[in-house]
Amino acid sequence: MPPGTAHAAGGEVRRVGIVGGGQLGRMLTLAAHPLGLAVTVLDPDPGCPAAQVGATQIVGRLDDPAALAALSAATDVVTWEIEHIDADALVALEAGGVLVRPSPSMLAAVQDKFAQKQLLAGAGIAVAATVAFPPLGASAAPDRAAFLVSLVGRLGDPVVVKARRGGFDGRGNHVLSGGDPDALGALTATLGDDWSALYAEASVPFVAEVAVIVARDAAGATVAYPTLRTVQEGGICHTVSVPAGLDPAIDAEAQDLGRRTVALLDGPGVFAVEMFVTPDAVVVNEIAPRVHNSGHLTIEAAATSQFEQHVRAVAGLPLGPTTLRTPAAVMVNVLGRREGPAPSEGLGAALALPDTHVHLYGKTSYPQRKIGHVTALGADAAEVAARALAAREALRT
Amino acid sequence: MPPGTAHAAGGEVRRVGIVGGGQLGRMLTLAAHPLGLAVTVLDPDPGCPAAQVGATQIVGRLDDPAALAALSAATDVVTWEIEHIDADALVALEAGGVLVRPSPSMLAAVQDKFAQKQLLAGAGIAVAATVAFPPLGASAAPDRAAFLVSLVGRLGDPVVVKARRGGFDGRGNHVLSGGDPDALGALTATLGDDWSALYAEASVPFVAEVAVIVARDAAGATVAYPTLRTVQEGGICHTVSVPAGLDPAIDAEAQDLGRRTVALLDGPGVFAVEMFVTPDAVVVNEIAPRVHNSGHLTIEAAATSQFEQHVRAVAGLPLGPTTLRTPAAVMVNVLGRREGPAPSEGLGAALALPDTHVHLYGKTSYPQRKIGHVTALGADAAEVAARALAAREALRT
């Protein structure tokens, strides 16, 4: 029997393959162990975070066809922890009979952020206005400058120019101000001169950022987690809080948008929908077709973590409840401050804070690198947030 | 620098060594990963449950001096998941400068259940009355039979004869009835004829069995979990429930006994104190100087699991809170029903039950072997118990 055919036949999934073995793969692996599911990850770095916690690792590039074939041959289902991968290769695996979850063609459709926005807008979901960049030749600098000026006229000032693919943690975004005399030069310096890779978005004057995480099982049933309040700093997720503290009508709108958005995305798994709350509306900002940084607090704060939920979904198992086990929870990312091995100093000081949970990813540190997170739980949201930040401060990274 | 000297110098503990790599070692390993602590286990079975989830394994007998030396050389602290090990070897390691937690001389003292009972009774802690067996020669059968008759006179009918060492899950116990015409033959058949290995206890007419789990940090501070109600079946822990549903005065007595008992046991770590509740009093039955089956529900039900607590304690880190995150939780053990690999069928049916958490240990199955557990959480204790049992029933083991 060639690899993959057992999958299509609907056999039980007991071996999960993950493209990527970073911290998300690590936390997926930790969630898979109690269920007796074996995890294999494909990751280029030997001893990646997931391999440190009992995933079998195939060392290889995420887009290496031979490595992907080996991953699918060793497992009953293939999923991913990162969306910037070769979706076409996964589509080809699926065509060859490999069970890939969620849908790789869905992944291909949303990897291009402009196409993602078009998909959402076409379904009547509120998103920022977008404009495609024209495929101008490299010699057409005056035309390009004029186009940028026109963007401000069409989308308002400032405009956010984004890389269609591959951006994360704020990288791949450029804020274009109409008053900048060298707008073209500044844009080219940050995002390059391949205009086919870019598009423009109206900037959204938000009063809050939120995320809704939705899980879907193999039969199509979905559950959503309570709305999460997210705060970015320097483009990187800084704190995530629950409850989100929104007006109930706005919260309901966010939940509705989250579910409607995920209804557009095929396949079982966990999806995160990031949104802006403006004075007038809730607007979808971005989809992550995977477990997401905003959901880390579900490990302690929810009845079922987003990681266990994703493992259950891709393994064809029923989903668990998403209810909170605590009045309030706050997660803060732990970022590297210096070059060097993973932090250890300060762990005792962080854990001395009550009901404060430290997650280190086994990654070497460099400035601004996400090397862990802390989740604090408690009754009073402000006190919980202060405690989470104090724990992060205590960890000498 | 010889192995071990860094420990005594008070260096930070980042590598934890565990004697034994079964399910307790597995759950300790899973608790250590988020804290960035590396685990090495010593276990004779290659691919033991802990090794499957990312512990480094040294394959060897638990009492092999060379293997224990290798374990201590590879780690910053040595602890155990099972108490039936060579305590003297651990005492020797400690004498050689290895950090061993909790205290190996404490372990040596409580491994002999008769000595354990003497220790407790000497401290004024209520225990069943005990009688040491006289070291009679093999030829003294009439004397032996007469001694057994005298036991019933001194301790009441029936008497429980126990192996001083090594018994667990009901093995090593023999109920001696005064009316049995062949009491000596029956006793010899189950526990052998080495009377120096035996002692006798009065049987305790209990109305409930409970356990209190206490953790102590390296500075000597202790925290106790809420009292757990345990139900044994065939000598094996069957269900564990919290809250225990005791009269508040009895619950307070159990908590007090738990703390006083653990105060007699040296060293940082988690300890379980099993007790009988009789119509008149609470009586300590047995000490487990380690994480314990009765505490498995703390993984989901408490702010800090017993496993994380033990890891924190032996690593010199502060303890976490022991408060419950749920109104009620019930754990049931999943026992093997047949010979064969670990179960997989029925996992979906078990997980279809809401807020019901399955833990499989990666062990091959045989009848009555503990191969996993299920913990259910919820608002109504009776409904939660029924759900936990239904999940166990669904798992085809």
Side-chain angles (χ1 to χ4, degrees):
Chain A
M1 189 170 59
T5 48
H7 313 150
E12 290 207 332
V13 171
R14 292 296 172 261
R15 301 172 303 166
V16 176
I18 307 175
V19 181
Q23 66 261 27
L24 301 177
R26 178 182 175 100
M27 291 185 274
L28 288 167
T29 301
L30 289 172
H33 285 318
L35 300 178
L37 304 176
V39 174
T40 301
V41 299
L42 169 60
D43 196 280
D45 297 329
C48 65
Q52 294 171 26
V53 302
T56 301
Q57 180 174 8
I58 295 170
V59 177
R61 289 202 331 273
L62 302 188
D63 62 352
D64 175 4
L68 287 166
L71 181 68
S72 53
T75 57
D76 303 316
V77 65
V78 170
T79 186
W80 57 83
E81 60 138 29
I82 180 171
E83 69 270 41
H84 303 304
I85 56 178
D86 186 347
D88 293 339
L90 296 181
V91 169
L93 283 182
E94 187 182 53
V98 174
L99 188 61
V100 183
R101 286 176 164 168
S103 158
S105 48
M106 173 280 297
L107 175 62
V110 302
Q111 276 180 328
D112 179 330
K113 285 185 195 169
F114 181 69
Q116 185 187 110
K117 287 279 178 358
Q118 301 286 101
L119 173 74
L120 294 169
I125 289 172
V127 290
T130 55
V131 171
F133 265 44
L136 296 170
S139 59
D143 289 353
R144 291 188 179 216
F147 174 74
L148 295 185
V149 170
S150 78
L151 279 180
V152 176
R154 291 164 70 185
L155 295 174
D157 192 352
V159 164
V160 185
V161 179
K162 295 187 173 184
R164 285 180 170 228
R165 293 172 181 274
F168 66 97
D169 285 351
R171 280 173 272 187
N173 288 0
H174 176 81
V175 177
L176 172 75
S177 167
D180 182 352
D182 186 28
L184 179 59
L187 172 65
T188 306
T190 47
L191 293 179
D193 65 357
D194 176 8
W195 276 33
S196 67
L198 305 179
Y199 76 104
E201 271 189 26
S203 66
V204 176
F206 61 82
V207 295
E209 290 181 273
V210 299
V212 173
I213 292 178
V214 178
R216 182 168 42 230
D217 69 17
T222 61
V223 293
Y225 286 89
T227 308
L228 304 157
R229 179 76 161 262
T230 61
V231 175
Q232 318 287 323
E233 209 168 73
I236 299 182
C237 177
H238 176 63
T239 64
V240 178
S241 314
V242 73
L246 300 173
D247 174 272
I250 292 173
D251 201 323
E253 190 176 343
Q255 287 282 316
D256 180 61
L257 272 177
R259 286 178 181 274
R260 285 169 54 211
T261 298
V262 172
L264 300 172
L265 309 173
D266 288 339
V270 163
F271 305 84
V273 183
E274 296 182 274
M275 306 175 212
F276 295 126
V277 178
T278 76
D280 310 312
V282 184
V283 175
V284 171
N285 175 32
E286 202 167 304
I287 298 162
R290 55 168 170 82
V291 288
H292 191 255
N293 198 166
S294 60
H296 291 0
L297 56 68
T298 60
I299 294 175
E300 289 90 7
T304 316
S305 81
Q306 68 165 346
F307 301 102
E308 179 173 346
Q309 209 75 284
H310 187 73
V311 167
R312 289 187 185 207
V314 302
L317 296 166
L319 302 175
T322 56
T323 42
L324 296 181
R325 293 216 197 281
T326 177
V330 173
M331 185 228 63
V332 299
N333 282 321
V334 176
L335 303 181
R337 297 181 199 164
R338 50 146 186 78
E339 307 272 342
S344 64
E345 281 180 77
L347 183 58
L351 294 178
L353 297 163
D355 218 350
T356 301
H357 303 271
V358 173
H359 298 256
L360 298 174
Y361 303 151
K363 293 162 75 172
T364 55
S365 183
Y366 55 72
Q368 294 302 100
R369 187 180 205 200
K370 287 181 192 170
I371 56 170
H373 75 267
V374 172
T375 300
L377 281 72
D380 178 77
E383 185 276 328
V384 170
R387 185 147 39 82
L389 288 165
R392 185 180 71 161
E393 213 45 48
L395 290 166
R396 279 170 240 132
T397 57
Chain B
M1 189 169 62
T5 48
H7 312 150
E12 290 208 332
V13 171
R14 292 296 172 259
R15 301 172 303 166
V16 175
I18 306 176
V19 181
Q23 65 261 28
L24 301 176
R26 179 183 176 100
M27 292 185 272
L28 288 166
T29 302
L30 289 171
H33 285 317
L35 301 178
L37 304 177
V39 174
T40 301
V41 298
L42 169 60
D43 195 278
D45 296 329
C48 66
Q52 294 170 27
V53 302
T56 301
Q57 180 174 7
I58 295 171
V59 177
R61 288 201 335 272
L62 303 187
D63 62 352
D64 175 5
L68 287 166
L71 181 68
S72 54
T75 57
D76 303 316
V77 65
V78 170
T79 186
W80 58 82
E81 60 138 30
I82 180 170
E83 69 269 42
H84 303 305
I85 55 178
D86 185 347
D88 292 339
L90 296 182
V91 169
L93 283 181
E94 187 181 55
V98 174
L99 187 62
V100 183
R101 286 176 165 167
S103 158
S105 47
M106 172 280 296
L107 176 61
V110 302
Q111 276 180 328
D112 179 330
K113 285 185 195 170
F114 180 69
Q116 187 187 109
K117 286 280 180 354
Q118 301 286 100
L119 173 74
L120 293 169
I125 289 172
V127 290
T130 54
V131 172
F133 265 46
L136 297 171
S139 59
D143 288 353
R144 291 189 181 215
F147 175 73
L148 296 186
V149 170
S150 78
L151 280 180
V152 175
R154 291 164 70 183
L155 295 173
D157 191 354
V159 165
V160 185
V161 179
K162 295 187 174 184
R164 284 180 170 228
R165 294 171 182 274
F168 64 99
D169 285 351
R171 281 173 272 188
N173 287 0
H174 176 80
V175 177
L176 171 76
S177 166
D180 183 351
D182 185 28
L184 178 59
L187 172 65
T188 306
T190 49
L191 293 178
D193 65 357
D194 177 9
W195 277 32
S196 68
L198 305 180
Y199 76 103
E201 270 189 28
S203 65
V204 177
F206 59 85
V207 295
E209 291 181 272
V210 300
V212 172
I213 292 178
V214 178
R216 179 167 44 230
D217 70 16
T222 61
V223 293
Y225 286 89
T227 308
L228 304 157
R229 178 76 161 263
T230 61
V231 175
Q232 318 286 323
E233 209 169 73
I236 300 183
C237 177
H238 176 62
T239 65
V240 178
S241 314
V242 72
L246 300 173
D247 174 274
I250 292 173
D251 201 323
E253 190 178 341
Q255 288 282 316
D256 180 61
L257 271 177
R259 287 179 181 274
R260 285 169 54 210
T261 298
V262 173
L264 301 172
L265 309 174
D266 287 338
V270 164
F271 305 85
V273 183
E274 296 182 272
M275 304 175 213
F276 295 126
V277 178
T278 77
D280 310 311
V282 184
V283 175
V284 171
N285 175 33
E286 201 167 308
I287 298 163
R290 56 166 169 83
V291 289
H292 191 256
N293 198 165
S294 61
H296 290 358
L297 56 69
T298 60
I299 293 175
E300 289 89 6
T304 316
S305 80
Q306 68 165 345
F307 301 102
E308 179 172 346
Q309 208 75 282
H310 187 72
V311 167
R312 289 187 184 206
V314 302
L317 296 165
L319 301 175
T322 56
T323 42
L324 296 181
R325 294 214 195 285
T326 177
V330 174
M331 185 227 62
V332 298
N333 281 320
V334 176
L335 303 182
R337 298 182 199 162
R338 51 148 186 76
E339 307 273 341
S344 63
E345 282 180 76
L347 183 58
L351 294 176
L353 298 163
D355 218 351
T356 301
H357 303 271
V358 173
H359 298 257
L360 297 174
Y361 303 150
K363 294 163 75 172
T364 55
S365 183
Y366 56 71
Q368 295 300 99
R369 187 180 204 197
K370 287 182 192 170
I371 57 171
H373 75 268
V374 172
T375 300
L377 282 71
D380 177 78
E383 185 277 328
V384 170
R387 185 148 38 83
L389 288 166
R392 185 180 71 161
E393 213 44 48
L395 289 165
R396 277 170 244 131
T397 56

